Amino acid sequence: MAEEHVQSLARGLAVIRAFDAASPELTLSEVARKTGLTRAAARRFLLTLADLGYVRTDGRLFALSPRVLELGYAYLSSLSLPEVALPHLERLAAEVHESASVSVLDDTDIVYVARVPTARIMRVTIAIGTRFPAYCTSMGRVLLAGLPPEDLDAYLARAALERFTPHTTTSPDALRAALDRVRAQGWAMVDQELEEGLRSIAAPIRDRGGRVMAAVNISSHASRTTVESARRDLLPPLLATAAGIEADLHATGGASRAQPGSP
């Protein structure tokens, strides 16, 4: 497929991805540095995106405009998973009084596609489209455990297993062992690996063929929920919610349109 690769499109998307929560506004030099483009090329892409309405600028600083949301909405509007999952998440969050979410795998990250928050328990705000590394999240563990062996090997070959807390699993062998446990038991718990105080538990959402297509989780602060109480009190309603989402997706035929991205 290399001959079909449109380099200018790839570079334009790289410019859009240069902006994030930590860098909502960037100078031309910063965009060039983050994307590896020359200043002249970065300027052309930024001005083109500004002409199209995806970027705004005051002459020195550049930032994404709300129109960028159209790009994500095009995906979400074709995906039945969020609309099917949301009522289930609302019932789950009301039952357990904790935040509930659904995500899919995109390359080395999970991407949130549906969420019902309760009390805020992380330093960052989680919204639709938020991304986190898959290896240190409960939903990521579920999604990685569902990969074919060759895809998991490819993931481990390129994923940077960064240490976020003293509890983060950074050894590929230890991660493989954790994924084996997830695969055997059918759910995952991650205890303060992404952020201190954050404890979460996740279950897979499978398509009609039994392939893991998404994950659903409950997240809680460690001060409110012990590992034992999460397993006792949160796991049963979580598994019931996953089963309910699966049943509705299969009934509507939406499972075939809710596939995660390639790892």
Side-chain angles (χ1 to χ4, degrees):
M1 297 293 289
E3 68 276 8
E4 305 292 339
H5 186 79
V6 181
Q7 192 173 53
S8 59
L9 175 60
R11 288 174 174 175
L13 293 173
V15 169
I16 291 176
R17 291 196 298 270
F19 299 89
D20 54 27
S23 306
E25 294 184 321
L26 295 168
T27 65
L28 172 59
S29 296
E30 289 169 336
V31 171
R33 185 171 63 254
K34 292 187 73 171
T35 58
L37 298 171
T38 65
R39 280 175 52 89
R43 183 175 183 274
R44 289 196 300 272
F45 283 112
L46 285 167
L47 293 181
T48 299
L49 289 168
D51 286 343
L52 294 173
Y54 294 112
V55 166
R56 54 182 172 80
T57 180
D58 62 3
R60 188 182 76 86
L61 291 173
F62 294 86
L64 298 182
S65 77
R67 190 170 188 178
V68 170
L69 294 173
E70 293 177 358
L71 302 177
Y73 182 75
Y75 169 71
L76 288 174
S77 64
S78 67
L79 188 69
S80 64
L81 175 60
E83 62 188 11
V84 169
L86 190 58
H88 294 274
L89 294 183
E90 290 172 342
R91 288 192 291 271
L92 178 61
E95 178 181 354
V96 301
H97 308 292
E98 300 288 359
S99 299
S101 308
V102 167
S103 74
V104 296
L105 187 65
D106 182 34
D107 194 32
T108 59
D109 295 337
I110 61 166
V111 181
Y112 284 73
V113 297
R115 178 168 170 80
V116 175
T118 54
R120 181 172 171 180
I121 57 176
M122 292 192 69
R123 288 191 297 269
V124 298
T125 300
I126 300 175
I128 304 305
T130 294
R131 308 173 73 94
F132 289 124
Y135 68 94
C136 57
T137 62
S138 62
M139 289 190 287
R141 295 269 175 92
V142 163
L143 292 163
L144 293 175
L147 290 178
E150 61 274 16
D151 289 346
L152 179 58
D153 290 342
Y155 167 86
L156 290 171
R158 68 180 183 279
L161 305 186
E162 179 184 351
R163 185 177 299 281
F164 289 96
T165 78
H167 311 283
T168 308
T169 299
T170 57
S171 160
D173 289 341
L175 180 59
R176 282 186 185 274
L179 296 178
D180 287 342
R181 291 191 295 272
V182 171
R183 204 174 293 114
Q185 67 192 15
W187 52 273
M189 185 182 299
V190 169
D191 188 12
Q192 305 182 77
E193 294 196 34
L194 178 64
E195 183 172 302
E196 291 274 12
L198 177 66
R199 184 169 288 144
S200 62
I201 188 167
I205 298 170
R206 301 179 185 275
D207 63 18
R208 283 182 176 144
R211 189 169 76 97
V212 177
M213 51 173 282
V216 55
N217 91 333
I218 299 170
S219 53
S220 177
H221 198 276
S223 64
R224 293 196 302 270
T225 308
T226 65
V227 170
E228 294 74 19
S229 66
R231 189 179 292 114
R232 181 187 66 242
D233 301 328
L234 301 183
L235 182 58
L238 176 69
L239 294 175
T241 296
I245 295 172
E246 285 182 3
D248 283 357
L249 283 171
H250 299 171
T252 61
S256 61
R257 304 204 311 273
Q259 304 301 331
S262 299

